[in-house]
């Protein structure tokens, strides 16, 4: 029996501890974020957080706003027991809402007409949970509704955990015999004992119908009313504004077109959502417990790893100290050796000078030598002494120290080392790379280029992530996203794909879908781990397969005016001798020569895309497509020239070329002096050099009296860095793009009854270069590993 009692007692204590822990966790939900205590008269801010009314007013005053007018909180029905008798209490008390309306500023009579004032500035309240300022509106706290639900929860919580240990006394008992209150009246907003409640709420009177509640020191209104329209209950909820509305507010023009629902329907829908959320969390308690265990393990690992890092830090500093001490010993030995050598040299010089004194050394010996009377002996002994005296005289006349006593060369400059030591820090992950949007492009493949900021730590390798953006491709054009969002956020269900361990600062991404928008980001990695992601970049892939071709130099190429590079990817036109000779006729007529270049391929089916860049200083350059036969005819080229560009059996019937509504045989976009001419018409006839003559004559003689229809007006646009051309052979349409952003510039028809080839026309000086394939770029870095990043939800479903 003792063991059973002990087990029962233990289970009871565990249950009490668990209940206490749950209550403590719930208590955090009921605290005011300003005073960190239980909320009193909470109001709901526009950000949906609740704070005490008094705390909110104090915060506004601290921020320089005038003190708001707080609503009165009466302590009795109308008066105190000392000034009122039970008989007088039977008289109906004035309604509290009426008193509030009278006391509210802005109501009442005034001696004259009030001068109309402008609307006061909106108040900004610094919300602690949000960490930002929220706008309260013109009326300030008066526009904020009171959170009656939270007050009821706090009241029930206090009675549950017995926090209301302070007895609530009856407000109508005489002070010597004051009893503890047992009931509270929501209409009278007062607390009563049993006897006083019966006395002030007699049967058969309207007061007997008052609502009684638990004793409390904080009475609240029975229902919510509109803060703008007195005594109007809130019967509607605006989903667009997320605000409660009264019938009068619903009629306002502000809510016209908004989705407004009855409050009961909104309440039921919100309750269902909350119930569904609670059920989901309750059904995943094992997951919650597993995550708590994981977090606790992470805390343990944090403590262990921090201790290990601290020990490593101490070891590194100790090694630095040992290295400094060792270096100090080496430098001290070198200093002592220099001091010894210089001291010996200076001591020898002192000894030499001391011998030159009058009664010592060399002079004394020389004086004794002069006393010798035998000439042969004197000469034999005096030669060496004479040489020593000559040398001493020279040293005396040209005196200098044999060693430098200053030791200037042994001073140390440790400014660089001090700078390194003061900047000594833990290893940092690389900063967010900066993607070079000028070099990054999407062509046959996607070429991505980036760089690290100057103050960034070096990166061992990079991780490139990309995903296809869901939605219409034309909704986002190329460029960097302006706002910095959460990595991996955005519309679309496409998962991120990653290129791991990318060396260098560029990479090539293959096997991408055409006419799609891809989101790309990069981050670096070193010993400290991965750094931050770069800003996301949106790239639009070409709308059709890329057509690779070269410039055909055998078609009517004038070598004196047109030069094609060795690779046949670039062409330059320079005014030659023919134009110089035609300058004599410049005063009598307008004569310009045009040179044609075509691609060495012809298109007989499908959709194809290519891009080129035109030098901004070019005079006139035309880029487009045309029928091969018509180009040969109009540019006076021989018809029997062998052409290897297409299969003669193309399968297309060109018998309908003479129809009146037939599409034009060629379509060009004119570029000149850094501008692009965009015709307003839907047909490319207006974009051709001439409707009735050869493209060799773009301008007619002013003396010609033949009348031509006036072409529709055209507009100009800045020349993009690269110009894209997309030909749909089946539909007979050609579209010109800004190849950098894949933004369409102009679209027009073209005759595709026969093989069509890319064409370029030069009038005056200019240069053009075809876009090189990304696949032809040489990459020295090893191929990176390509993986697909799957979300946790996908893993759970699988």
């Amino acid at each position: 029996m003792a063991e059973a009692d002990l087990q029962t007692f233990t289970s009871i204590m565990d249950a009490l501890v668990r209940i206490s822990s749950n209550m403590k966790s719930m208590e955090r939900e009921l605290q005011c974020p300003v005073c960190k205590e239980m909320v009193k008269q909470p109001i709901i801010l526009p950000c949906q957080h609740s704070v005490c009314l008094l705390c909110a007013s104090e915060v506004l005053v601290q921020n320089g706003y005038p003190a708001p007018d707080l609503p009165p909180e009466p302590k009795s029905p109308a008066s105190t027991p000392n000034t009122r008798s039970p008989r007088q209490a039977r008289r109906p008390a004035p309604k509290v809402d009426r008193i509030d309306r009278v006391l509210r500023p802005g109501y009442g009579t005034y001696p004259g007409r009030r001068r109309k004032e402008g609307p006061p500035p909106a108040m900004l309240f610094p919300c602690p949970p949000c960490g930002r300022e929220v706008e309260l509106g013109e009326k300030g706290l008066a526009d904020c509704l009171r959170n009656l639900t939270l007050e009821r929860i706090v009241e029930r919580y206090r009675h549950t955990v017995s926090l209301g240990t302070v007895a609530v006394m009856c407000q109508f008992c005489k002070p010597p015999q004051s009893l503890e209150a047992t009931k509270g009246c929501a209409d009278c907003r007062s607390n009563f004992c049993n006897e006083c409640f019966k006395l002030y709420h007699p049967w058969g009177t309207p007061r007997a119908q008052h609502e009684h509640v638990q004793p409390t020191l904080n009475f609240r209104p029975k229902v919510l009313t509109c803060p703008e329209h007195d005594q109007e209950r809130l019967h509607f909820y605006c989903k667009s504004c997320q605000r409660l509305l009264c019938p009068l507010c619903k009629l306002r023009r502000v809510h016209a077109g908004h989705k407004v629902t009855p409050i009961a329907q909104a309440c039921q829908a919100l309750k269902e959502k909350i119930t569904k959320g609670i059920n989901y969390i309750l059904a995943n308690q094992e997951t919650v417990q597993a995550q708590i265990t994981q977090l606790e393990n992470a805390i343990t690992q944090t403590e262990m790893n921090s201790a290990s890092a601290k020990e490593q830090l101490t070891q590194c500093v100790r090694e630095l100290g040992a290295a400094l001490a060792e270096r100090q010993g080496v430098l001290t030995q070198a200093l002592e050796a220099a001091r010894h050598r210089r001291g010996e040299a200076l001591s020898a010089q002192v000894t030499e000078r001391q011998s030159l004194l009058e009664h010592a050394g060399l002079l004394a010996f020389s004086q004794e030598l002069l006393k010798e009377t035998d000439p042969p002996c004197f000469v034999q002994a005096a030669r060496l002494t004479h040489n020593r005296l000559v040398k001493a005289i020279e040293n005396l006349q040209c005196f200098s120290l044999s060693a430098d006593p200053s030791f200037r060369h042994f001073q140390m400059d440790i400014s660089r080392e001090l700078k390194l030591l003061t900047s000594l820090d833990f290893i940092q992950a690389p900063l967010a790379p900066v993607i070079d949007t000028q070099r990054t492009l999407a062509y046959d493949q996607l070429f991505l280029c980036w760089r690290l900021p100057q103050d960034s730590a070096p990166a061992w390798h990079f991780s490139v992530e990309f995903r296809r953006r869901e939605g219409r491709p034309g909704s986002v054009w190329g460029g960097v996203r302006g706002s910095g969002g959460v990595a991996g956020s955005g519309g679309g269900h496409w998962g991120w794909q990653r290129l791991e361990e990318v060396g260098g600062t560029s990479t090539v991404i293959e096997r991408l879908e055409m006419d799609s928008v891809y989101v790309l980001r990069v981050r670096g990695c070193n010993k400290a781990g991965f750094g931050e992601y770069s800003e996301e970049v949106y790239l639009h892939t070409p709308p059709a397969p890329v057509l690779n071709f070269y410039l055909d130099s055998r078609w009517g190429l004038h070598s004196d005016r047109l030069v094609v590079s060795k690779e046949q990817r670039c062409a330059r036109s320079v005014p030659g001798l023919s134009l110089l000779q035609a300058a004599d006729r410049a005063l009598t007529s307008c004569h310009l020569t045009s040179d044609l270049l075509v691609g060495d391929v012809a298109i007989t089916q499908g959709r194809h895309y290519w891009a080129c860049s035109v030098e901004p200083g070019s005079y006139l350059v035309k880029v487009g497509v045309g029928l091969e036969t018509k180009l040969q005819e109009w540019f006076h080229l021989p018809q029997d020239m062998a052409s290897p560009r297409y299969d003669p059996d193309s399968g297309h019937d060109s018998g309908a070329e003479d129809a009146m509504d037939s599409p034009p045989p060629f379509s060009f976009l004119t570029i000149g002096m850094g501008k692009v001419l965009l015709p307003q018409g839907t047909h490319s006839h207006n974009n051709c050099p001439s409707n009735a003559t050869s493209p060799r004559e773009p301008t007619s003689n002013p003396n010609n009296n033949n009348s031509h229809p006036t072409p529709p007006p055209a507009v100009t646009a800045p020349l993009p860095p690269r110009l894209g051309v997309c030909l749909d052979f089946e539909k007979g349409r050609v579209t010109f793009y800004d190849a950098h952003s894949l933004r369409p510039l102009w679209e027009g028809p073209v005759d595709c009854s026969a093989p069509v080839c890319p064409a370029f026309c030069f009038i005056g000086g200019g240069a053009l270069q075809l876009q090189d394939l990304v696949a032809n770029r040489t990459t020295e870095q090893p191929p990176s590993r390509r993986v697909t990043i799957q979300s946790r939800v996908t893993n759970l479903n699988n």
Side-chain angles (χ1 to χ4, degrees), residues 57 363 511 551 739:
S57 62
L363 288 181
R511 301 187 297 274
L551 298 176

Side-chain angles (χ1 to χ4, degrees), residues 547-767:
L547 178 67
N548 184 31
F549 62 91
Y550 298 91
L551 298 176
D552 194 346
S553 60
R554 296 178 298 173
W555 266 43
L557 180 64
H558 298 277
S559 58
D560 60 334
R561 298 195 305 266
L562 202 58
V563 180
V564 179
S565 63
K566 182 179 179 181
E567 297 81 9
Q568 295 184 338
R569 305 285 297 178
C570 180
R572 178 173 292 276
S573 174
V574 293
L577 183 61
S578 59
L579 186 60
L580 181 63
Q581 294 174 352
D584 293 338
R585 301 188 299 273
L587 298 178
T588 59
S589 65
C590 181
H591 181 79
L592 291 177
T593 58
S594 58
D595 297 302
L596 173 70
L597 271 178
V598 297
D600 63 347
V601 296
I603 302 171
T604 59
Q605 61 180 355
R607 299 177 70 240
H608 302 275
Y609 174 84
W610 62 91
C612 63
S613 58
V614 179
E615 188 176 279
S618 301
Y619 182 66
L620 281 179
V621 178
K622 294 180 178 294
V623 179
V625 296
L627 289 175
E628 183 180 24
T629 56
K630 291 296 182 179
L631 290 174
Q632 289 179 352
E633 176 184 350
W634 285 336
F635 285 85
H636 306 289
L637 298 177
Q639 297 291 332
D640 56 353
M641 176 179 291
S643 177
R645 288 186 292 276
Y646 63 93
D647 186 1
D649 186 11
S650 62
H652 292 272
D653 185 11
S654 59
E657 293 177 355
D658 299 332
M660 294 298 296
D661 296 334
S662 62
F666 54 85
S667 179
F668 285 100
L669 197 64
T670 304
I671 302 167
M673 295 168 286
K675 299 290 184 179
V676 180
L677 183 66
L678 302 178
Q680 294 297 315
T682 59
H683 297 285
S684 61
H685 293 75
N686 302 324
N687 198 32
C688 298
S690 177
N691 292 337
T693 60
S694 170
R696 283 184 174 274
E697 301 174 0
T699 57
S700 60
N701 194 317
N703 298 326
N704 191 358
N705 295 327
N706 296 332
S707 61
H708 296 282
T710 304
V715 297
T716 59
L719 175 64
R722 292 181 293 117
L723 186 68
V725 183
C726 180
L727 174 65
D728 192 334
F729 192 87
E730 279 70 20
K731 294 183 179 180
R733 305 290 295 182
V734 60
T735 308
F736 296 89
Y737 293 91
D738 178 354
H740 181 69
S741 61
L742 263 292
R743 178 175 58 89
L745 298 177
W746 185 76
E747 181 181 358
V750 66
D751 188 2
C752 294
S753 59
V756 179
C757 59
F760 310 93
C761 181
F762 292 90
I763 302 176

Side-chain angles (χ1 to χ4, degrees), residues 112 201 244 300 425 481 533 560 674 730:
H201 296 80
L244 297 173
T300 305
D425 199 355
R481 188 179 66 176
Y533 283 102
D560 60 334
E730 279 70 20

Side-chain angles (χ1 to χ4, degrees), residues 161-203:
V161 298
S162 300
L163 291 179
T165 54
V166 178
V168 180
M169 306 305 294
C170 177
Q171 298 176 241
F172 297 91
C173 293
K174 293 183 179 181
Q177 295 86 17
S178 296
L179 300 178
E180 184 176 353
T182 58
K183 295 180 182 179
C185 181
D187 297 277
C188 299
R189 303 166 72 91
S190 303
N191 298 307
F192 301 86
C193 63
N194 289 331
E195 296 298 331
C196 292
F197 187 83
K198 295 177 181 179
L199 182 63
Y200 284 90
H201 296 80
W203 290 100

Side-chain angles (χ1 to χ4, degrees), residues 28 70 102 324 384 435 559 596 641 679 772 779:
R28 290 193 296 268
L70 301 181
V102 173
L324 286 175
L384 179 60
I435 296 181
S559 58
L596 173 70
M641 176 179 291
D772 293 327
T779 55

